[in-house]
Amino acid sequence: MIKLRDTDAGVGATNKRNILQAAEKCFAQFGFKGTAVQKIADEAKLPKTNVLYYFKTKQELYVAVLEETLSLWNSHFDRATVDDDPAEVLAAYITEKMEVSRTHPQASKIFAMEIINGAQNLTGYFDEEHAKWMEGRLALIDQWIEVGKLPQLDGEYLLYTIWASTQHYADFSAQITRLRGRKMIKADFETATRQLIQLVLGGCNLPVPSRYIENIDVE
Amino acid sequence: MIKLRDTDAGVGATNKRNILQAAEKCFAQFGFKGTAVQKIADEAKLPKTNVLYYFKTKQELYVAVLEETLSLWNSHFDRATVDDDPAEVLAAYITEKMEVSRTHPQASKIFAMEIINGAQNLTGYFDEEHAKWMEGRLALIDQWIEVGKLPQLDGEYLLYTIWASTQHYADFSAQITRLRGRKMIKADFETATRQLIQLVLGGCNLPVPSRYIENIDVE
DNA sequence: CAATTTTTTGACCAAATGGTCTACTTTTCT
DNA sequence: AGAAAAGTAGACCATTTGGTCAAAAAATTG
């Protein structure tokens, strides 16, 4: 009998998770070429050879990290339909994406660098799934326009604006931190989120759902 | 007499420009660590030693390239005053930034990677000038709000949104190209620019200046 | 317990790469 | 023309680094 160990427990799985986490940190900070396997090993407190035991090559480890970050693209927007309210859906989408930027900035940075460098490692799966997803979402936006829930606009550029504006807070955090003199904390993200929602929905002639309006200065 | 040659002509200056251009191309595609000096030399069609003759170290060359990209940040927005119309100023600013993304995508990518990696090479000058610039622009936005030309909003997040949304078309071009199946051409940039202006100004409750409204489908 | 598989490690290697040294050629200046 | 400065270029070197190997240790299995 051959025993395939596919459990998440055990020494192997623990080490793998450990290595992936260390790798994510390093790749986000120094990029693929800038990260030495030795560095990842140090970060994971393992000898380098041990890292190469779990991931045969640095590239394989990088792709594994990259693939983990792709799961962050999932959101409720994926399953919205024409019956939903675009104001609610878009506001929620922006909120979710801002939350990813706040809680997973490293993953966002790795993804950004991968794209900037030509997305050589994002072939196959991501390409197809992502394009398919895009197609579906653009169709939904067109439906919203048809039924009068949205003004005439190009969904493509709307989505790019949302991606860019939300991911910016993760990817460009170094610039933001220097400009403000301090790191953005959770409260700052909430303000930024509120304002971004106001801007995007306003730009789409949509009313901002009350839940996304600051309820502090109401006197 | 010592003659300091500071002209832009001459073999030296030509070579320097040549090298800087080759370096920009390489750094944008492979990042700092990922770019070998030999590669830049090949691109510039010069022996590696010759490159190191003009720029003592790879780092020095990189910083030189980086500093050139900073000039792209200059815009008419820099000299706007409270007497100007924010709708006009912001629309022009977005247009200028989109044009930079279209015509200098490599510079934008290098800048983006530098920030993502912590902006270690953007100390001193950029830090100070940039922070000072930001301070002035935020003050201007606040003045606009005071005189009722703009609704209550946080200028900081507004500027981040503009930067993010415009630079996105340069930095993430690989993703965009794959999603659409072809590269964005000038006409696409114009459409994207128009829509981004509409979104941002709409989000600020500003009317879009007629000049920025598509004048094709007017029947 | 013995056999087998999985995991851990240090020693080592070949390729890539940033940078130096030295010598030669070309240009510029007086 | 002749000296000095600027530019070109091959040979070379030390370091870094991705990856291999073999051997030992630990865990698992029959």
Side-chain angles (χ1 to χ4, degrees), chain A residues 113 115-119 122 127 130 154 156-157 161 164-165 168-169 171 174-175 178 180 188 192 195 199 203, chain B residues 113 115-119 122 127 130 154 156-157 160-161 164-165 168-169 171 174-175 178 180 188 192 195 199 203:
Chain A
M113 279 193 284
I115 301 282
I116 291 176
N117 290 0
L122 283 177
D127 259 352
H130 197 31
D154 194 325
E156 198 187 339
Y157 302 122
T161 301
S165 303
H168 185 84
Y169 290 94
D171 304 341
Q175 185 186 24
R178 294 210 197 164
R180 342 173 81 224
D188 298 319
Q195 176 155 335
L199 192 85
Chain B
M113 278 193 285
I115 301 283
I116 291 176
N117 290 353
L122 284 177
D127 259 353
H130 198 32
D154 193 325
E156 197 187 338
Y157 301 124
Y160 293 157
T161 301
S165 302
H168 184 84
Y169 290 93
D171 304 341
Q175 185 187 24
R178 294 212 197 165
R180 341 173 80 224
D188 298 319
Q195 175 154 338
L199 193 85

Side-chain angles (χ1 to χ4, degrees), chain A residues 27-31 33-35 73 109-124 126-127 130-131 134 152-158 160-169 171-180 184 187-189 191-192 195-196 198-204, chain B residues 27-31 33-35 73 109-113 115-124 126-127 130-131 134 151-158 160-169 171-180 184 187-189 191-192 195-196 198-204:
Chain A
F27 285 137
Q29 198 172 353
F30 309 108
K33 282 286 275 188
T35 298
W73 278 83
K109 285 178 182 178
I110 291 172
F111 180 80
M113 279 193 284
E114 173 64 19
I115 301 282
I116 291 176
N117 290 0
Q120 302 290 327
N121 300 283
L122 283 177
T123 51
F126 179 72
D127 259 352
H130 197 31
M134 188 71 165
Q152 197 80 35
L153 57 78
D154 194 325
E156 198 187 339
Y157 302 122
L158 174 62
Y160 294 158
T161 301
I162 292 176
W163 294 346
S165 303
T166 53
Q167 290 167 18
H168 185 84
Y169 290 94
D171 304 341
F172 286 68
S173 62
Q175 185 186 24
I176 294 174
T177 300
R178 294 210 197 164
L179 283 176
R180 342 173 81 224
M184 280 179 68
D188 298 319
F189 269 90
T191 306
Q195 176 155 335
L196 184 56
Q198 197 178 322
L199 192 85
V200 171
L201 297 200
C204 295
Chain B
F27 285 137
Q29 198 172 353
F30 309 108
K33 283 285 275 186
T35 298
W73 277 84
K109 284 178 182 177
I110 291 171
F111 180 79
M113 278 193 285
I115 301 283
I116 291 176
N117 290 353
Q120 302 290 328
N121 300 284
L122 284 177
T123 51
F126 179 72
D127 259 353
H130 198 32
M134 188 69 164
Q152 197 80 37
L153 57 76
D154 193 325
E156 197 187 338
Y157 301 124
L158 173 62
Y160 293 157
T161 301
I162 293 176
W163 294 346
S165 302
T166 53
Q167 291 166 19
H168 184 84
Y169 290 93
D171 304 341
F172 286 69
S173 63
Q175 185 187 24
I176 293 174
T177 299
R178 294 212 197 165
L179 282 177
R180 341 173 80 224
M184 279 180 68
D188 298 319
F189 269 91
T191 306
Q195 175 154 338
L196 184 55
Q198 197 178 322
L199 193 85
V200 171
L201 297 200
C204 295

